[in-house]
Structures are given as C-alpha cells and as structure tokens.
Amino acid sequence: MLLQGNEAVAEGALRAGCRFFAGYPITPATEISEVLSVRLPQVDGTFIQMEDEIASLGAVIGASLAGVKSMTATSGPGFSLMQENLGLAIIAEVPCVIVNVMRGGPSTGLPTFPAQSDVMQARWGTHGDHPIIVLSASTVRECFDMTIRAFNLSERFRTPVIVLIDEVVGHMREKMALDDEEEIEIFNRVKPTMPPEWYIPYEDTPSGVSPMANFGEGYRYHVTGLTHDVRGFPTSRPDEIGPFISRLHRKISSHFPEIQTAEYFQTEDAEITIVAYGCVARSAKRAVIEAREKGRKVGLLKLMTIWPFMRTAVEKVLQTSKVLIVPEMNMGQISREVKRVNRGITRVVALNKVDGTIITPMEILSRIQEVVS
Amino acid sequence: MGSRYEIRLGGSGGQGIILMGIILAEAVGVYDHKFVAQTQSYGPEARGGSSKSEVIVSDEEIDYPKAMKPDLLLVMNQKSCDDFFPDLDPEGLLIVDSTFVTQVPNPRAFQIPFTRIAREKFKREMVANIVALGALSQLTPIVSSKAVEAAVLARVPRGTEKLNRDALKAGMAAAMRAKKERLKVEIPPEIPKEDLLDSY
Amino acid sequence: MAEVTKLIHKYLRHDKKFPHVWCPGCGIGIMLGALIRAIDRIGYEKDEIVLISGIGCSGRLPVYVDFNTLHTTHGRAITFATGVKLAKPSLKVIVIMGDGDAVAIGGNHFIHAARRNIDMTALILNNSIYGMTGGQSSPATPYGMRSTTTIYSNIEQSFNISELAVTAGAAFVGRGTVYHARLLDSLMEKAFLKQGFSVVEVISHCHTQFGRQNRLGTAVQMMEQQRDQAVTVEKAARMKPEELKEKIVIGVLVDKELPVYQDEYEKIRERAKEVMGR
C-alpha cells in the first residue's frame, strides 16, 4: 500500500491503541485528523474537531485520564498554543501523544513548506523545568513505528511524548505494508492493584513511575497542575516539592537506553560523520553514499530520539571522526547540542538552511568538500 | 545510484498534478513492485499557483526523496516548463501539454495536447492529468501501462471508471501517434536547430 | 448524626485538605453545599462523578471533595471535561469555573461546549472580579465599578453570562444567587439530570476584593443586596427592560431538548462501521 507519512502516523496511532483524537485543522498536519475522523469511529473510538489547539490538548489529556489512549496533531502555530496544557500533562503525569508536522516559522511562516525549527520549542516550549521525550521520523514506515513508540513510551513513563516530523516526511508517500499479523509490542499504563484506600497516586517507586488509576475505576484521587504531594494534593512544602520535581526528571533520565534510538550508517571508520534527523537524514544518506563512491570516509548518525539528547551516540562518533557536520533546516538547534557534547574534542560544522526547501545531497557534499580542503 | 529514476510533474494548482504523482507512484510501487517515494510542493492556493510532484523509482531503498536531475519531466503549463526544464537530465525525456506549453525548449520533446484532448473528447478538462498519465506510460519503460490502469481505477471516484479508462486510453493512443511521428522525422543530431524546428 | 455531618463525612476530604483556602464569608461554600446536596439527592456514586475546575478561587473547589477531581489550566476546564466525557460517557462530568475563568480566558471553550451540546454541567461562580489574584476587573465586572486594574472606573460593559449561554445554544440555563440557597439546590439538581450541556450561573460576592474596593459592605450586606436585586424569571417576564436594569433574574432561563453529542456520535460510529464493512 502507498501511504503518506501523515496517514502512517494515523495508522500507527490506531495500532498502538489510540482511541481518542482531538485536533484543529492546520497545514501540513491536517491529513492526520482527516484519516482519524474516518477511522476512529470504525473502531469505537472518538474523533472531535475542537475550537482551537488549546482545547484539543485539553480534551486529549481529559480522555487519557478517563483511561483512553489519546493524541493530537498540529504544526508550529498550533504547537505554540498547546504549550501550557503540555506542561499540565507533564506535571500531572498524563500519557498522551502530540505530533508536530513542522513547517517554516516563526508565526504563520511557511504553511506548506518544510522546516525543522521546532526542535528547541519541543524541548523547552512549555514553562518550568521539565523533562520531555521527543521522537523523529524520516520515512513513512518510521512515521508508523515512531507513533507506536511514542504511545508506548508515554504509557510507560506517564508523560506526553512529542513526535516531530516535517512537511516533507508528513506529505511523502512510500510503500508500506499494513500487516495486522505483524508482531508489534504495545505497552499499556500500569494500573494500581492495591485497594483504593492504600492507593497513593504519585508515590515514588524504583522506576520513578507510579501506577495510574483511570477516572471511574474506584480510585478517586486529585489531579492538578499545581505542584503536588504524593497524594496529588497541592503542596508548598519544600521537602515535598524538591523530591517531586526530581522524580519527574529521574523517571526519564534513568531510562535513557530504553528511550533513545539512533541509526548508524557507515560510521565505524568515518572521518567525517554527519549528524542528522528527519527528512535531512535522507539527503545525508545519499551524500554519504556518493562521498564513499569517491573514496571519502563519511558516515551518518541518524537521530531518532531528539530529546533527551543522545549524548552517548554523539560521543561514540566523536571518537572516530575528525569532523562532525550537522545539517538542519533551521539556524542551528541540534548543532548547539552536538557542540555542547563535543566540548572542543573535534570540529563541529553546522549546515543551516531556512528557505523552505530541503537540504539537498549536493549541499551536504559540497560542505564535505569544503571541510576536506 | 544506477537504478534510480527521477520523475518530476509540474503544472498549476487544480490540474491534478499531485494526484497524477500519487497514481504514478502507486503504479510503480504497488503494481510494478519497485521502491518508490512521492513528494510534492505546492502553494497556498487550491486552484492556480504552481504545483509540483515528484516520483523517485528505484530497485533499492530510496534515500533522498526528491528529484536532483529528473530523468523525466512532464509539464502541464508554460511556467513549470520554463522553471523546471534546466534541471532535466540532458539525456532526459520531456513531455509537455501542448495546449498550454507553446514555447518548447527542446525540439525532442513530446508535445501532446492533453487538456485539449480531455476537453474535446470527454468534455471534461479535469481528466487531462489522466490523459497525460496514459501518454507517460507509453513514453517511458519505467512503468507498465497495465500498472497505471490498475492504479488509476483504484484511485478514482466510483462511477467515473469508464471515463478515466477512456481518458487513459486516449493518452496512450496520442503517445503512440507521437512516437510514430518521431520515427518518421528522426533526424541526425548534426542538422542545425533551425531546420529541426521546421520539421515539427 | 445530623444530616450535614453525614454529608461532610461522605463527600468531603475532611481529614485531608482542610482548612480551605477561601476567605471567611465567601459564597463558594454555599455553592459547594448545594452541589453536594444535589448529588446526594440524585444518588450518584462518588466514583462516577468527575469534578473539573480551572484556575482561581473556584479552581480550588474540587480538591476538597471525594470525587474524581481534576484541577486544570486557566479557562480550559471545559476542554478537559469534553475529553473525559467523550472517552468515558458513563461518567457524570461537572465543571466549576469562575467568571474570569469561564468567559474571559475560557470564553471560546464555553460557547463551543454549549454549541456542541456535550452532556455535562458547567457551574459558574460569578463574583464580578478576579479574587485570587487580588481584585482585578473581569468580563463580569459591571460598568463604572472599581477594581485594582480599573482604579479610575471600569469603562467596559459586562457579559451577561447566562444570556451568553442561552445564545450559544445550551440546553439548560439557570441562574441563582448564594443568598437563595434552596433555589441553587434545585437548579443544580435539574442541571445534573439534564441530558446535554447545562449551565448554572451562581451569583456570589467577593467582599474581600470587589466589596471592599467598591464600598459594598460586609459579606452579609452583599448577600442582602443579592436578595434585594433578585427577581424570579416569572416576575421578570412581566417587567419592563428599564425596570430590570439593576436586577438579577433568577430561576430556569432555558430548558430545551436538543440532540446530545454523544448520542449523535454513536450514530456516526454506526455509519463508519457500515462504510468499513463495504
């Protein structure tokens, strides 16, 4: 079957068990809404078009609290509107998935043209000190897989997970088999098993993740965007606030190997390694193949988890490479992170493009040429 | 990158350029079982404006999903012809809708009036893209006409199958005629350009 | 045990969260009492109630009651309620908002929820001011009144919240005051039992902020003003518009039958499955 990236996101969501979608039309993410408006009612799920993106994420969080896996999809302007409720999902530890099909910005920007300029917004867009999980996809199949992975991680760690794709990937069509028989691992939130009177909804556990009771299942508890104690009640006690915020971070930071994935392409002996993600990773792969044909030792590190930033993966390629090239369709967002990890060990060269068109293999090749000479 | 074959389709919004790309990709990918990646670029206008769709075909997994040097360029209006012709591989194939493309940059181009055929034969300009697809399937070996027909019929709205099949056939026939013409007037390359133009 | 003690033990998180954050004399307690009595009379299970609030004094209300409680972002309570209700229609969803919450920052969500007619109840505690942040003007602050952001005078016209709900298409709209506590009980009961989007506007007083800044007296005096200003819907129907200018019309303003969203969506599911079957 020929599927669009956005359609694959929708199918992946259904496969992951998503049964609720609330959204607002926005280019270039609208196809996700359209497909789910058709598909969700077929599987006893619910699709609703809300009055804006703020409402969309609010409804998604509400549905998740009621026990239904939920998601929304948007692009830059809508993602900006979602930031406040995103923070609530983080602090109240409500699993949900937000897909941002990136377009050029700032503001209305370039609705129909691609960009990768929301990388830092995905990390720091909502206020307050918080951890976040952000995944990326560069093929139609990855749109499917990453959406499933996003649901699994969100249920596993009780946290919103963001999938960042771009207009190229979202609108691109590739062949993909939708095999119902295929073995796909699905993770569902851990529910409390103790009697309700013993249930402490935000209790610390070795993993940092507490079991989650759904509304209406006998465990009546309080959910709030205020900083709360282990019972979910607002607190202003420093001895409760500190441990709570630390736990929010620890539940992510103690599970990096589970969360982070990357692809290494010909990096073993690479003297020049390209660090890329999303559609640009495809240009980079083409550039690596062509550079290798000319005898240059070039490799590619493709980041599939954007946040938490893959320090260990970058450190690995730093050991062999003399130069890292970081091509991005922004003014340098991931390259800053790569430089931070590098700490002067080797050369890090950014390749930035913000004209609404994809970085081409030729442009990467000529940067390789410049670096070599 | 030996097996990589790049197709670019261009025209104005509303001519069905993107749908043409999707059907073509489905034909090569699903029915002819090759690797395929289809992308597009378009403006904010639903009608008018420029529209571009690209289909990359390969025997192996496709990395870069856009055309770098198209092997085939099919254009449905003058502007996209002017804009995209410089990118075309020198050995590449140019197909133009001669209803709208009157200044053809390469005399070896296939010039077929897709829109006029759609308008006169079917009283429906909207099937011009299907006529064009039919022609394309005859002019390049990259896709089989059987696959194109299957892909068209799977995509078009119910009740319009006959219209679309006929449009496809009309495109194929027009392409066959153009090919025959081409054989008749196949000219050695050393003949000056001016004379070449005369013969068309 | 006295009736009220039984209710306290049954519904309040009395051993966990008290004392509460509200000022002595605030009307919100009367509203909370009406809410609990209506729920008790109808006989809902505590597990099936979801009480959702936004931000402000009213936002703190859910924490004190033993239901499934959700304290959301400012103005957005109704959007969360929409998700909860559609995801699990068997739950009884009640939203509690203040005037700033419901018709300033959350105004758009409020009118759209009314338009959609999703089955839930919105309770709006209208005290004419932002109390928690220290007495700034809200869209319900009357023209000519003083607040900490309209020191010279409020030059904006205020929203008539109930009329707004009526116009936006709510299936049930009632208005009461915290002075008329028994009316509140019955309005809430009717609203909770209504299939569709129901609204109860509760006129209350903020003597700490609005009253003090506008020299309206103590909580008791402000409640007496509610008594004096109130006219029933029935009586108001016989009065001229100019006579109603300074009045608060109380009672059931609208009660009509409309297609309920969840029922309509069930039909969509059936159609979708038919299409899939083809």
Side-chain angles (χ1 to χ4, degrees):
Chain A
M1 194 179 351
L2 195 70
L3 269 189
Q4 207 182 31
N6 283 346
E7 291 166 346
V9 165
E11 293 299 335
L14 291 168
R15 191 62 191 272
C18 172
R19 290 297 178 269
F20 185 90
F21 179 99
Y24 188 80
I26 188 165
T27 304
T30 306
E31 293 83 3
I32 301 173
S33 294
E34 288 173 341
V35 171
L36 288 173
S37 76
V38 174
R39 296 279 283 120
L40 274 169
Q42 293 175 340
V43 293
D44 285 319
T46 306
F47 165 89
I48 185 167
Q49 184 172 315
M50 296 298 287
E51 54 273 18
D52 58 32
E53 287 87 349
I54 300 172
S56 302
L57 189 52
V60 162
I61 296 169
S64 182
L65 283 165
V68 175
K69 288 188 189 176
S70 307
M71 75 174 291
T72 184
T74 188
S75 186
F79 193 51
S80 290
L81 286 180
M82 287 179 185
Q83 295 303 327
E84 189 192 13
N85 280 343
L86 177 62
L88 185 127
I90 292 168
I91 200 170
E93 300 182 65
V94 187
C96 57
V97 172
I98 300 156
V99 179
N100 175 0
V101 188
M102 291 182 284
R103 54 154 87 177
S107 190
T108 314
L110 299 162
T112 61
F113 296 145
Q116 297 179 310
S117 43
D118 301 348
V119 166
M120 281 296 171
Q121 187 191 22
R123 177 64 193 87
W124 297 112
T126 193
H127 61 277
D129 207 348
H130 60 276
I132 194 86
I133 298 175
V134 180
L135 310 178
S136 149
S138 61
T139 68
V140 169
R141 175 72 208 199
E142 280 175 17
C143 286
F144 181 81
D145 293 340
M146 282 298 158
T147 306
I148 295 173
R149 208 169 128 66
F151 273 100
N152 284 348
L153 291 174
S154 81
E155 294 280 316
R156 167 88 174 80
F157 297 109
R158 288 191 61 178
T159 187
V161 175
I162 295 162
V163 181
L164 278 187
I165 58 178
D166 50 69
E167 190 275 339
V168 173
V169 176
H171 280 162
M172 178 171 53
R173 287 178 176 83
E174 289 181 300
K175 252 199 309 187
M176 203 198 103
L178 268 183
D179 185 0
D180 290 339
E181 304 300 312
E182 197 178 328
E183 203 69 37
I184 292 175
E185 197 190 343
I186 302 295
F187 191 94
N188 296 316
R189 65 190 67 170
V190 174
K191 291 200 205 173
T193 49
M194 68 285 275
E197 57 274 23
W198 294 359
Y199 178 52
I200 302 172
Y202 294 97
E203 189 177 25
D204 199 356
T205 62
S207 71
V209 187
S210 336
M212 180 176 176
N214 300 326
F215 283 169
E217 293 180 354
Y219 297 82
R220 296 182 302 276
Y221 71 108
H222 189 60
V223 179
T224 177
L226 285 165
T227 303
H228 42 268
D229 62 19
V230 290
R231 295 191 175 275
F233 295 130
T235 182
S236 40
R237 280 171 49 179
D239 64 324
E240 290 177 337
I241 298 167
F244 168 62
I245 298 297
S246 303
R247 180 176 65 76
L248 278 188
H249 283 80
R250 176 167 58 82
K251 74 174 180 182
I252 305 297
S253 63
S254 60
H255 296 95
F256 280 178
E258 225 177 302
I259 296 166
Q260 296 177 327
T261 50
E263 248 176 44
Y264 300 86
F265 179 67
Q266 310 213 335
T267 50
E268 302 79 16
D269 62 340
E271 289 169 358
I272 299 173
T273 303
I274 303 165
V275 182
Y277 54 95
C279 68
V280 175
R282 301 178 68 123
S283 316
K285 193 168 181 188
R286 168 59 33 200
V288 168
I289 292 168
E290 293 192 13
R292 287 267 170 186
E293 280 169 9
K294 287 182 202 139
R296 293 206 197 296
K297 288 183 174 170
V298 182
L300 166 67
L301 166 62
K302 176 166 116 180
L303 303 176
M304 296 161 88
T305 303
I306 303 284
W307 303 108
F309 186 68
M310 298 194 61
R311 169 183 280 276
T312 46
V314 172
E315 277 169 351
K316 203 166 147 189
V317 296
L318 275 175
Q319 288 168 5
T320 54
S321 312
K322 296 196 180 89
V323 186
L324 299 189
I325 299 177
V326 190
E328 287 180 279
M329 292 163 68
N330 56 47
M331 292 302 278
Q333 299 192 11
I334 281 296
S335 64
R336 293 172 73 102
E337 292 298 303
V338 175
K339 283 173 189 164
R340 180 173 65 82
V341 171
N342 179 44
R343 286 180 305 173
I345 296 169
T346 185
R347 248 177 97 199
V348 177
V349 180
L351 167 53
N352 307 115
K353 196 176 182 190
V354 288
D355 64 0
T357 62
I358 183 171
I359 295 176
T360 64
M362 271 312 295
E363 287 164 329
I364 297 174
L365 282 166
S366 55
R367 185 54 56 96
I368 292 171
Q369 190 58 42
E370 276 170 42
V371 165
V372 171
S373 57
Chain B
M1 59 192 268
S3 74
R4 191 180 164 107
Y5 189 89
E6 303 182 341
I7 302 167
R8 180 180 290 170
L9 313 168
S12 68
Q15 281 187 308
I17 299 297
I18 291 174
L19 180 64
M20 206 191 329
I22 296 170
I23 293 174
L24 186 56
E26 229 148 16
V28 243
V30 181
Y31 298 96
D32 278 348
H33 310 291
K34 290 176 187 144
F35 283 98
V36 66
Q38 182 268 334
T39 61
Q40 58 230 301
S41 140
Y42 60 103
E45 309 90 344
R47 298 287 178 269
S50 317
S51 180
K52 176 172 89 173
S53 179
E54 295 180 336
V55 179
I56 312 298
V57 183
S58 178
D59 292 335
E60 50 199 48
E61 209 174 309
I62 293 160
D63 38 60
Y64 186 59
K66 301 260 183 186
M68 295 176 281
K69 215 175 224 317
D71 300 285
L72 191 163
L73 174 64
L74 185 151
V75 285
M76 304 270 290
N77 69 354
Q78 188 66 49
K79 187 174 185 310
S80 35
C81 185
D82 299 347
D83 288 352
F84 301 144
F85 177 71
D87 297 340
L88 183 65
D89 189 285
E91 302 290 308
L93 176 63
L94 176 65
I95 306 171
V96 306
D97 182 345
S98 55
T99 321
F100 300 115
V101 184
T102 48
Q103 315 245 319
V104 183
N106 180 345
R108 295 177 57 84
F110 283 101
Q111 306 174 44
I112 305 169
F114 302 125
T115 306
R116 193 156 55 86
I117 293 171
R119 196 191 293 148
E120 287 174 2
K121 235 178 152 154
F122 303 105
K123 312 270 175 264
R124 300 263 173 89
E125 269 193 30
M126 59 183 285
V127 293
N129 60 345
I130 304 295
V131 177
L133 263 180
L136 185 148
S137 72
Q138 290 302 307
L139 298 175
T140 169
I142 200 71
V143 61
S144 69
S145 42
K146 238 171 102 184
V148 169
E149 186 176 336
V152 166
L153 295 181
R155 268 281 166 181
V156 298
R158 221 179 297 175
T160 68
E161 289 91 343
K162 187 179 168 342
L163 170 68
N164 281 292
R165 189 186 281 120
D166 291 348
L168 205 56
K169 293 269 146 73
M172 289 176 186
M176 295 301 279
R177 277 197 302 277
K179 267 212 277 201
K180 259 190 217 148
E181 288 288 310
R182 168 66 58 85
L183 285 175
K184 262 191 255 165
V185 296
E186 197 62 61
I187 300 154
E190 58 271 21
I191 289 186
K193 260 191 181 160
E194 292 79 352
D195 297 356
L196 236 167
L197 281 173
D198 283 348
S199 63
Y200 270 78
Chain C
M1 240 189 298
E3 190 61 29
V4 64
T5 318
K6 268 192 241 163
L7 290 180
I8 287 171
H9 278 268
K10 183 167 177 194
Y11 292 103
L12 294 187
R13 287 167 171 156
H14 57 92
D15 53 347
K16 293 179 185 147
K17 280 320 294 172
F18 285 82
H20 57 67
V21 297
W22 302 309
C23 306
C26 181
I28 200 165
I30 296 170
M31 177 176 142
L32 177 56
L35 172 98
I36 288 172
R37 286 189 295 274
I39 285 172
D40 191 63
R41 260 199 315 280
I42 296 169
Y44 290 121
E45 293 293 328
K46 290 195 285 185
D47 278 333
E48 61 179 316
I49 304 276
V50 184
L51 188 60
I52 303 176
S53 68
I55 296 293
C57 297
S58 68
R60 297 303 184 106
L61 187 140
V63 80
Y64 304 113
V65 279
D66 189 21
F67 303 126
N68 303 286
T69 54
L70 171 57
H71 177 208
T72 70
T73 43
H74 197 15
R76 322 297 178 199
I78 279 185
T79 71
F80 288 76
T82 300
V84 170
K85 184 67 190 182
L86 296 185
K88 203 179 263 183
S90 61
L91 295 170
K92 176 72 204 166
V93 177
I94 302 167
V95 181
I96 158 84
M97 296 174 284
D99 43 311
D101 209 23
V103 295
I105 189 165
N108 201 29
H109 309 308
F110 180 59
I111 56 174
H112 284 282
R115 174 182 67 80
R116 287 192 188 103
N117 201 34
I118 294 176
D119 183 34
M120 64 171 78
T121 301
L123 306 175
I124 299 162
L125 185 86
N126 180 357
N127 62 2
S128 316
I129 200 127
Y130 286 85
M132 185 163 269
T133 46
Q136 297 78 25
S137 71
S138 90
T141 304
Y143 177 84
M145 302 306 273
R146 186 184 154 122
S147 72
T148 58
T149 47
T150 56
I151 289 289
Y152 304 112
S153 176
N154 176 28
I155 56 170
E156 297 179 14
Q157 299 298 319
S158 61
F159 262 137
N160 182 327
I161 296 175
S162 289
E163 292 299 337
L164 181 66
V166 171
T167 311
F172 178 95
V173 182
R175 189 196 279 123
T177 81
V178 291
Y179 177 87
H180 302 86
R182 286 190 183 276
L183 174 68
L184 269 194
D185 282 24
S186 84
L187 285 178
M188 284 200 199
E189 192 175 334
K190 283 179 188 146
F192 295 159
L193 290 171
K194 181 74 192 178
Q195 286 294 304
F197 190 75
S198 54
V199 178
V200 179
E201 181 186 2
V202 181
I203 304 292
S204 186
H205 52 273
C206 180
H207 53 291
T208 308
Q209 299 294 352
F210 190 69
R212 190 170 46 84
Q213 293 190 57
N214 292 288
R215 298 173 204 282
L216 298 172
T218 62
V220 174
Q221 286 167 321
M222 288 182 81
M223 285 179 76
E224 285 166 352
Q225 287 153 23
Q226 290 164 19
R227 177 195 61 199
D228 299 340
Q229 280 180 290
V231 259
T232 60
V233 172
E234 296 75 23
K235 195 174 167 201
R238 297 190 299 270
M239 291 166 70
K240 294 190 188 99
E242 54 272 24
E243 292 174 313
L244 281 169
K245 239 181 156 184
E246 298 288 310
K247 299 292 180 194
I248 303 166
V249 179
I250 57 171
V252 176
L253 306 181
V254 154
D255 187 355
K256 60 185 176 187
E257 297 306 317
L258 289 171
V260 180
Y261 189 95
Q262 302 96 278
D263 304 341
E264 294 296 303
Y265 199 77
E266 208 41 63
K267 293 179 201 162
I268 294 293
R269 286 192 179 127
E270 279 161 32
R271 283 194 59 185
K273 283 173 200 164
E274 266 174 50
V275 169
M276 186 173 63
R278 274 202 224 119

